[in-house]
Every structure is written in structure tokens, then in C-alpha cells.
Amino acid sequence: MFVSWELLKDFIELDVSPEEAAERLTLSGTEVESITRTAGKLKSVVVAKIEALENHPSDGHLLVAHLDSGGSHSHVCITSAKNVKQGDLVFYARAGSVLPDGMELGMRDFSGVRSDGMMLSAAELGLPDVDSPDGLLVLPPDAPVGTEASALYHIGDTILDVSITPNRGDLLSTLGIARELRGLFPHSTLTLPYWLRPLEQEKAWTEKFGAISLPDEGCLCYRLGLATGAKMGPSPLTARIDLSHLGMRPIVNAVDVTNYIMLTLGQPLHAFDLGTLPAREITVRAAHEGEIMTTLDGRERVLTPRDMLITSGGEAIALAGVMGGQQTGINDDTQTVVVESACFSPVRVGHTSRRLGIGSEAAFRFARTVDPTLSRTALSAALKLMRDWCGAVVDYRPLAAENEFPAPRSVTLTKKKLSTYLSWGNMDEATKIIEGFGIKHTFGGGDERTFLPPTWRPDIAIEEDLIEEVGRFRGYNDAPSRLPGELPHRADAGGPTHLAAFVRQTLIARGYVEVMTYSFLPEDFPSRLRLPGDDLRAHPLMLANPISRDQTAMRTTLVPGLLMSLRATLASGWRGPVRVFEQGRTFLRKAIDSPDHVETDRVAGLVFNGSDPRTPWKGQEEDFYSVKADVAALIEGRGFRPIFVPGQEPFTHTGQTAEIRIAADSGESQRIGWLARLKPALEQELDVSGPVCLFELDLQPLEEAKRPALHPSSPFPASLRDISLLVAADRNQDDVAADIAAAVREAAQAEGTDSHGEILESLRLFDVYAGKGIPEGFRSMAYSLSYRLQDRTLRDEEVEAIHGRVRESLSQRGYSIR
């Protein structure tokens, strides 16, 4: 937000430089990002009067002006501008003068007539929006001849670019910054410009007008002021320059008044042409589903019930707190103006602004909370400026309607907590500091005192907020340093933190780069991922007050963030390989229609070979199997055995998708994630030229690492046998593998030998085949079995006996032995 130092002087008497004020603001938490001198390098440009104006003797397109700049002799200046006449006052830059952009002027010959410098337009002064670009800037008739331009009309202003935190909506105005400086500089004094003095408003409206009704409680208050006999035209030059410096384009005096009040007081206003209202009444209500209105920018907006409308006679004339309607705007013929001064719910206005992509100055302020008691003062000030700038009659009693205002709540400050946070506990001094920021001390003394925040400080809600005010004033750099006391016992970071560190270390060691993406996603991300309606991931939790229209839903998977990261990386011109991972939390409903949800810590990775595939190392590009090795290393590093079985995800390649499981001691397995190549159609949408491989794992099952069990190796040789089975193709391969493992381990005991215990050392699936030679509807699964004892060598007849029991056990379970 831009703050004018010249306007600030109207609100506070402050004996410091802009640089000193900026430093104090920054150290207190309100960062001043830059300081700009609006006059730039302007030098020796003065007010001059056109004493005579005549045609150029040889060029009919030019005029010769004789100027009085307050010196002992006049100056001759050539111009092609047609908007000036004898007696006008203009800004004149004689030879040797310097313009704001650093250009130095000199003498110039125009067809035999020498021009001593030039007369200036608004654009040449660095103020293109202040006046028409087709002519010179004509000054008011009371402009003092010979006076430097930088000393007039706030041309030589100093602008502070201030970064306002979202909780300090009260600082989005000149008045708000003045209050903040009053608290930071205790010897300063707040003042009021003349137009903030109370306005006499006793007359009844000359225009018949009905009621104002507020059925939507999102409108806290709504006031209307009347201005009759207004003459539309340009605003005073100083006001136009102020608006331009503060980033607003001057339009017409009646509209400029509303913008001026918003920038100086922080209260957004809106001006309607009374003659264009559909009816002489105002209603603030929720929009109907699918209702359409055309805003001032000429665009049709489709609305929802969460949007608030200002209506007249049932017709929408403005989006409450966001933008006015096209049909009721001020035009050149407007004579009767009604000025709206209202306060709207920050949540409702913020939602509408983000959903429709309308980032208006009014919406920016309402979304950060506007003082509901300010509307009366702002309306009075706006009407007074309407009188001065438009020549309007404004002494009519305002019309008003109100809903319940949120009342400020008292907050108690204790010496104990103040000392704990700041290592300083002077309660009397703390009270002076807090009251300097407009927060009133209402009760108590000694070590416990109660304060009442003003209506413009809704951010003061708890004791820590009061302590922050004291800390901001005193400066955190001055707080004494302290060493922490001895800890009673050694702390532990905890399982999740240790696991996150392990995942990070493992994946970085394998060439990945960690990224962090937003937990908020666009509302349509489920449809982009082709998630079906019965998938819980397709029903994200929606934010009540999203920070932007593209961040309205809580993520149910980490995949969209990684895909958006890849797209941004490629758009920046990166052509090399991309190997990234993210650890983060996902938010999944417990049921499709349930408001309850579970939060799960997950890790996801993305691998892409790059848009430039050229490499001298052929055959070493990343693929599904290299990423599978990365996932296996991650799981095995936690002491678990990974199992990869065919799987399916809506957004992945059908033939290159695996379900990831981990084996348990019981022989069963647990699903913890998936590994896949992205669906080719989605790869095309990302505009990538090669495969994109992804994986996502649930971290909770890996939190408690399995310690490896050390078993001494047997000095005796193993006996190896293979077995091949026919399995129905429609059975789940993972279920079949678990069933076979249980049957084999049960049958392969050392009974019948002179040794006891487990004789089956390992069982490994080495082939799965379906096709020629295999009956239709079946697939072949081949296993390798290793038999071994710890204390002696197995005899062949023992192995054959045990292996025979294994085959018999499998046959009894319905498997056909090949």
C-alpha cells in the first residue's frame, strides 16, 4: 500500500523524516519496502503566466508564447498545444531545467524562432493520469507565478510503499498509518483535516426515497447520503495528483471523492447516480444461485448464494463490498448522487472477490476487516468533499440501517506473562505504550490490568496481543539474551520427525530434490485427475475463507502439487531431468458426505527425464523400474520387505501401475501406497515429451522401523526345489501369494527328521505367466524353495519327503501342480 507523506501531515504532527518513520515502522512489524521521491530529478520548473500567445510566423501548427516566470524578463516558448490561451498559468521549464526523468532542456530552433525550454504537460511531469495527454497542464488561477513545481500540489511528495499484514486491516489508510506512528512516536499529535469536521445535516431529502433493508446479516450497516446539484468535472489538481501517487486513476470528481476517502480513512464508498436506480429503495441480500449481473468493468458475473448483492427494486446494482454495477455508475450528466457507506462481512467479501477474480481496492480492505463505526464519519467527510469539489448541496440527513455490530472484548494483561515473554515487567510503562496505540486502560492496577481495544483493532483478542504491542514499541533487539535452563531429561524428536529425516536423507542420496507445495488446491483438481465419484479423494474439504480462487480445497493427495511443480519448472525453461519429492499432510473425509476427516502424513515423488533427451549414456534413462528401486530402498531402509503387485489408479497408465505393500511377520501384507506412470493423456496436458513416473506412500506404517534380526548363517548347503502352480486368473495375486506362503510354511516343518524348527529357509516367486500352454482363465505362478538346517546337511530323502508334503498341501487347497 502506498502512503503519501504530504497527506500524512494532515493527520499527524510528526517531527521526524520519512526515513526515520519508515525505519520505526519496519522494526515494529509494518515493513516499508521502499521510499520514492515523486519529483524525481525535477529542477528549476516553475509556474509561468502566458502574457501573449500568437501564431508561429511560418508554421501554422505552432504557437509562440511569451511567458512571465517571475523574473526580470519574459521567455519565448513554442508549443503545439491547443488547450491554452492568453492569461493561463502553466508549468514552465526554461533552458537548463531538469525533468523528473533526468532529461535536461535547452534552446531549440523551430523554423527560425528559438524556444527557451518548454511548457509542460502532466505526462512530462511524470503524472500521465492527472490530465489529458493531448495538451499542456493548465494550473488553477491562484497558482503563484515563479514558484517551483516541486513545492506545489504535492508534486514533490514522498511515497512510502508499506507491506500490511493480513491481520492489520486498520493500517490500509493514511489515518491508520497516522495512528500507528502516534503509538511509535509518543510526542507526536494526531490532527484532523478540515473535511473531517462534523457536517451540518438537518434537512429532509428533497428526493423521495424508501427504506433500506438488510435481510442478509453479512451487511453490518448501510448508510446513504444525498448530494444534489452536483456538477461533474475534474477534481482539484492536488487531489488528482494525490490519487495518482497512491495508485488510483482520477476519473471524475464524484468518483474521486469516494476513492480519496477510502485511501485516507480506510472506508470504501460507492457513488450511485440516483436517476439510474431502478427503484427508490435499497436491499442488501444474498444472491440467488445462477443470478447474473454486469459489473462496472462490463463483465457479466454468475453468482452464488455466498455472494452479497446491493439491489434496488429487486435488481442487482452492486456486488456488496467488491464492485458496483454498470447501469448505476456516475456519468457526465449526473446531477444527483447518493453515496453508499457500509460495512460488510470480511469472509463473504473475500470469498466473492477471490471466486470472481475481482481484486478491487474496496474488496481488499473489506476482506481484512473495516471498522464498522467508521461508516458514519466517512460518509460525512465524503459529502463535505462533494460540496467542495462538485458544488453540490449536501446538508441532508443520511439514511441508515444496521445489524448487530461485533463488540470489542476486554483483554487482561498480567505482569507475570509480560515478564515471561519480554523479560521486562514495568506495568506503568507498558500501560502508556498500549494506550499510545489507542487501546484504552479500563480497569485494574498493579500486576493485572484490563484494556479495551478500539473498534478498528479486532486483532487485539488475547493477552499475547497486548504483549506484542509492548514488544513492537520497545523493539525486540533490545530484549536481554538468556540461556535456557538445564533440561530435566534428554528430549527426543519423536517418531514422525525421525522418519521424515530418514525419508529426506534417503531420497536426496538417490538424486531427488525436496519441494514444498501448498496444501490448498483448485476446486476442480479431482476432475483433472479423473478421480471417480466413489473415490474419497474426489471430495476434498473446502476452505471457508480461501486465500485465492486457485486455492480453495484441501489436498487429498500430494500428486497435484508435484504436477504443478513440474509444469512451473518446465515453463521456466528447465530442460534437464526432474527428480522431486514432497513430504506433507493430506486431508481425507471419513465418508463422502462426512464433515469429519483424517489427516495423514505421506511422501510422494515425481521423476521426469527432461525435455532434452540427448545423452551419451544410452539406456540409462529413468523409467518405471528405476523409480521402483528408489521406493524399494526407502521401504527396506525401515526394515520392511516391499511387495509390488499390479494395481490401478484413475490418473495412471493401466499397464504401468503397481500397488505397494509391506510384508508382515504373520505372512499377510499391508497396502501403503502406489507406484505408476502418469496417464498419457495427462502427460499431454502437461506438454511433456516423455513418461512421468510417480509414487505416493503412507508414512505411518513405516514410522516404527523394524530392527533387523541377526541369525548366524548355516555352514551346511541348501537344497533347492522349484514348484509351478496353476491359479485362477480372476483371483487377487497378492491374496494368492499370501495363501501359498502360509500353506508352504505350514507343511515345510522339520518333523520326521532328527532336527526341529523351521526347515524352509526362503520362498521366492520368480515367474508369473499366462498365455500359450496355459489353460484359458488361469495363470502360472512359479516359486523357488530353499531348504536348509543349521546343524547338519539334509539328506535327499528328507527333502523329497518335506517337498512332497508341500505339494500335497497346495493340492488340498485347490492349486494344480504343473
Side-chain angles (χ1 to χ4, degrees):
M1 184 193 74
F2 296 134
V3 177
S4 162
W5 190 255
E6 291 296 331
L7 282 178
L8 204 55
K9 292 177 183 178
D10 292 339
F11 289 86
I12 187 170
E13 294 179 0
L14 190 63
D15 190 21
V16 298
S17 68
E19 287 76 14
E20 291 174 293
E23 181 180 10
R24 195 76 174 90
L25 284 168
T26 299
L27 292 177
S28 68
T30 305
E31 182 184 2
V32 178
E33 297 182 344
S34 65
I35 301 176
T36 304
R37 310 287 180 179
T38 58
K41 299 180 180 179
L42 189 68
K43 177 184 175 183
S44 300
V45 174
V46 300
V47 177
K49 182 177 182 180
I50 301 177
E51 294 184 318
L53 191 67
E54 56 194 34
N55 292 324
H56 189 282
S58 59
D59 191 334
H61 298 290
L62 300 177
L63 297 173
V64 180
H66 298 270
L67 304 175
D68 173 16
S69 62
S72 57
H73 62 280
S74 65
H75 302 269
V76 174
C77 191
I78 307 300
T79 181
S80 61
K82 305 301 182 184
N83 69 319
V84 290
K85 62 183 183 300
Q86 184 176 343
D88 282 346
L89 297 171
V90 294
F91 281 128
Y92 167 59
R94 65 173 68 91
S97 300
V98 181
L99 298 185
D101 61 2
M103 178 185 291
E104 182 174 348
L105 302 181
M107 302 288 290
R108 183 178 174 184
D109 184 274
F110 287 88
S111 302
V113 179
R114 290 178 63 79
S115 178
D116 182 6
M118 63 186 294
M119 296 178 285
L120 301 180
S121 67
E124 288 158 341
L125 284 166
L127 301 165
D129 294 332
V130 166
D131 198 47
S132 169
D134 299 328
L136 300 177
L137 178 60
V138 178
L139 304 178
D142 59 351
V145 173
T147 303
E148 288 271 351
S150 58
L152 297 172
Y153 311 115
H154 296 175
I155 289 176
D157 202 352
T158 300
I159 302 298
L160 310 183
D161 186 358
V162 185
S163 177
I164 307 298
T165 55
N167 67 320
R168 292 299 306 272
D170 63 296
L171 296 181
L172 291 170
S173 65
T174 307
L175 175 60
I177 296 296
R179 287 171 174 158
E180 186 76 356
L181 290 172
R182 166 64 186 86
L184 297 174
F185 295 93
H187 299 297
S188 60
T189 305
L190 289 176
T191 60
L192 294 178
Y194 81 92
W195 43 267
L196 268 180
R197 296 174 192 139
L199 178 66
E200 294 287 338
Q201 294 176 288
E202 299 297 333
K203 293 170 58 176
W205 280 37
T206 56
E207 301 287 341
K208 185 178 179 181
F209 204 91
I212 299 173
S213 57
L214 308 179
D216 194 318
E217 294 183 356
C219 179
L220 304 183
C221 65
Y222 194 95
R223 304 182 190 280
L224 277 182
L226 177 66
T228 61
K231 297 179 178 61
M232 298 298 104
S235 301
L237 180 58
T238 302
R240 282 181 280 152
I241 291 175
D242 286 338
L243 288 171
S244 181
H245 284 163
L246 297 180
M248 300 289 287
R249 181 173 60 88
I251 301 173
V252 67
N253 48 13
V255 176
D256 291 347
V257 164
T258 62
N259 289 333
Y260 192 83
I261 294 298
M262 177 183 67
L263 295 172
T264 53
L265 300 186
Q267 171 67 56
L269 305 175
H270 188 72
F272 297 107
D273 184 335
L274 180 63
T276 63
L277 290 180
R280 298 297 175 92
E281 66 87 25
I282 291 291
T283 299
V284 183
R285 61 167 174 83
H288 305 307
E289 185 66 47
E291 189 170 358
I292 297 176
M293 77 161 290
T294 304
T295 47
L296 274 173
D297 56 5
R299 296 180 59 183
E300 285 192 348
R301 310 286 182 173
V302 181
L303 309 177
T304 72
R306 291 190 66 185
D307 304 320
M308 265 190 301
L309 286 177
I310 314 296
T311 66
S312 175
E315 294 185 30
I317 59 173
L319 268 173
V322 180
M323 184 176 283
Q326 190 176 43
Q327 73 272 27
T328 58
I330 300 297
N331 56 61
D332 294 341
D333 300 326
T334 298
Q335 295 184 354
T336 304
V337 179
V338 284
V339 182
E340 167 197 289
S341 182
C343 186
F344 303 106
S345 161
V347 174
R348 298 281 295 281
V349 173
H351 166 80
T352 299
S353 173
R354 285 185 291 271
R355 188 182 68 81
L356 298 178
I358 305 176
S360 66
E361 291 284 344
F364 187 80
R365 285 164 172 77
F366 278 125
R368 285 156 179 78
T369 306
V370 171
D371 178 9
T373 66
L374 182 61
S375 60
R376 187 192 305 272
T377 302
L379 180 58
S380 174
L383 292 173
K384 186 171 287 189
L385 291 181
M386 287 273 190
R387 180 192 64 190
D388 297 345
W389 295 5
C390 309
V393 177
V394 297
D395 50 350
Y396 305 102
R397 286 190 299 272
L399 306 179
E402 295 180 354
N403 282 318
E404 185 177 357
F405 285 6
R409 295 184 178 181
S410 297
V411 183
T412 299
L413 174 68
T414 61
K415 182 175 181 178
K416 179 181 178 181
K417 189 166 281 190
L418 179 66
S419 301
T420 299
Y421 281 102
L422 300 183
S423 300
W424 179 85
N426 189 327
M427 292 295 285
D428 291 335
E429 187 65 24
T431 299
K432 292 180 182 179
I433 293 171
I434 293 171
E435 288 192 315
F437 288 106
I439 304 168
K440 187 178 180 182
H441 175 213
T442 58
F443 178 77
D447 294 348
E448 184 173 307
R449 307 186 184 190
T450 301
F451 296 84
L452 183 66
T455 53
W456 66 81
R457 289 298 303 272
D459 60 303
I460 304 296
I462 58 176
E463 185 176 1
E464 283 77 4
D465 295 328
L466 294 175
I467 296 173
E468 182 183 11
E469 296 302 291
V470 177
R472 292 192 310 115
F473 177 86
R474 287 176 50 80
Y476 297 109
N477 291 336
D478 296 333
S481 300
R482 292 181 300 172
L483 290 173
E486 183 180 357
L487 296 175
H489 55 81
R490 184 178 175 218
D492 184 78
T497 303
H498 286 306
L499 175 58
F502 170 81
V503 170
R504 183 176 298 110
Q505 179 181 6
T506 302
L507 291 178
I508 289 176
R510 298 186 72 88
Y512 286 79
V513 175
E514 186 172 16
V515 298
M516 295 179 66
T517 66
Y518 284 106
S519 299
F520 315 134
L521 296 172
E523 186 176 359
D524 64 345
F525 84 86
S527 61
R528 294 186 186 182
L529 289 183
R530 280 62 166 175
L531 295 175
D534 58 353
D535 192 325
L536 288 177
R537 294 173 297 179
H539 303 276
L541 298 166
M542 304 304 296
L543 296 176
N545 189 24
I547 60 177
S548 78
R549 62 186 302 184
D550 293 326
Q551 296 177 316
T552 59
M554 301 297 290
R555 66 186 178 191
T556 57
T557 170
L558 301 179
V559 169
L562 293 180
L563 294 178
M564 289 189 288
S565 173
L566 174 62
R567 182 168 57 189
T569 299
L570 298 179
S572 70
W574 180 264
R575 303 183 66 194
V578 177
R579 293 170 64 86
V580 295
F581 76 97
E582 179 177 14
Q583 298 185 79
R585 185 161 293 182
T586 60
F587 308 82
L588 206 62
R589 295 182 188 270
K590 292 183 177 180
I592 290 178
D593 298 323
S594 172
D596 299 326
H597 73 284
V598 292
E599 300 181 16
T600 307
D601 290 323
R602 303 181 72 82
V603 61
L606 178 148
V607 175
F608 172 58
N609 281 314
S611 56
D612 186 354
R614 295 175 296 179
T615 174
W617 298 282
K618 302 299 182 183
Q620 298 188 23
E621 297 85 358
E622 299 286 355
D623 60 11
F624 177 87
Y625 295 100
S626 65
V627 179
K628 176 183 175 183
D630 296 332
V631 175
L634 183 62
I635 296 173
E636 289 169 354
R638 300 299 290 175
F640 295 92
R641 180 168 64 87
I643 300 173
F644 298 89
V645 298
Q648 187 173 0
E649 290 290 341
F651 46 86
T652 63
H653 194 295
T654 304
Q656 297 185 47
T657 300
E659 187 177 286
I660 304 173
R661 293 177 171 266
I662 54 174
D665 293 335
S666 63
E668 298 179 353
S669 61
Q670 176 185 357
R671 185 185 191 277
I672 65 168
W674 53 266
L675 161 70
R677 175 186 169 181
L678 191 65
K679 193 182 288 288
L682 289 175
E683 291 175 351
Q684 292 179 2
E685 291 180 12
L686 286 171
D687 195 23
V688 297
S689 56
V692 176
C693 292
L694 297 151
F695 67 86
E696 187 171 30
L697 302 176
D698 182 357
L699 290 176
Q700 192 278 328
L702 304 177
E703 185 174 319
E704 186 174 348
K706 289 182 62 178
R707 294 181 179 274
L710 178 62
H711 297 285
S713 60
S714 173
F716 303 99
S719 296
L720 304 178
R721 297 288 187 275
D722 292 343
I723 190 168
S724 180
L725 317 170
L726 289 178
V727 180
D730 58 355
R731 291 188 63 184
N732 181 275
Q733 182 171 316
D734 191 51
D735 294 339
V736 170
D739 185 51
I740 291 173
V744 171
R745 293 186 186 281
E746 180 181 350
Q749 298 297 320
E751 298 176 2
T753 72
D754 55 1
S755 297
H756 299 282
E758 182 72 43
I759 194 172
L760 180 67
E761 182 181 51
S762 67
L763 172 69
R764 181 174 64 88
L765 175 68
F766 68 86
D767 184 53
V768 177
Y769 172 72
K772 186 177 180 180
I774 303 299
E776 186 176 353
F778 288 85
R779 62 174 178 264
S780 171
M781 299 178 66
Y783 286 85
S784 174
L785 294 82
S786 174
Y787 300 103
R788 191 197 303 259
L789 286 177
Q790 292 288 325
D791 55 355
R792 66 179 178 83
T793 301
L794 282 168
R795 298 187 297 273
D796 287 344
E797 56 270 22
E798 291 177 317
V799 175
E800 291 300 330
I802 295 170
H803 194 62
R805 290 202 303 271
V806 168
R807 294 169 63 90
E808 183 181 353
S809 175
L810 291 172
S811 297
Q812 290 175 354
R813 291 184 181 237
Y815 297 105
S816 297
I817 310 298
R818 294 184 65 195

